[in-house]
Amino acid sequence: MGETTYGIGEGPATRVSLSLPEGAAEAIRARVGKPGFSAFIAEAVERELRGQVLDEYLADRESRKGPVSESARQRARQVFDLVFAEEGEWPAPG
């Protein structure tokens, strides 16, 4: 049988170990409490990945079509966030 592949934000939770500066860990606990710590980190990682995917898309578009204005970049980020927040989905890796 093949191994199941999950998209970003999908699949069962898996335990990982990470290191953070204590000040960052304390700030997270102060905002969300100990029970919300993992969810906070997961959401932050997903935001970062979503930003990287968008940056890759914009870089690809620039290489094909030329420069993208700052206002277009901001609008793209708003649309990207809105669409994927509503759909609860991520673009396929590519």
Side-chain angles (χ1 to χ4, degrees):
M1 286 190 162
E3 186 176 309
T4 302
T5 303
Y6 299 103
I8 298 169
E10 299 176 340
T14 186
R15 195 177 242 332
V16 298
S17 175
L18 69 126
S19 299
L20 293 173
E22 185 58 34
E26 287 176 7
I28 294 167
R29 284 188 208 102
R31 286 190 175 272
V32 300
K34 190 174 180 179
F37 194 92
S38 290
F40 183 91
I41 296 297
E43 290 169 10
V45 167
E46 287 189 31
R47 275 192 308 276
E48 176 63 22
L49 289 169
R50 185 171 53 243
Q52 288 183 12
V53 168
L54 177 58
D55 290 345
E56 290 166 4
Y57 169 78
L58 290 171
D60 176 64
R61 190 195 179 285
E62 280 189 324
S63 72
R64 291 180 292 112
K65 305 270 187 180
V68 175
S69 70
E70 186 55 35
S71 63
R73 286 179 179 280
Q74 289 175 3
R75 180 71 179 130
R77 190 164 303 279
Q78 290 170 345
V79 169
F80 191 84
D81 286 344
L82 179 64
V83 168
F84 291 108
E86 286 177 351
E87 297 295 322
E89 295 180 4
W90 281 81

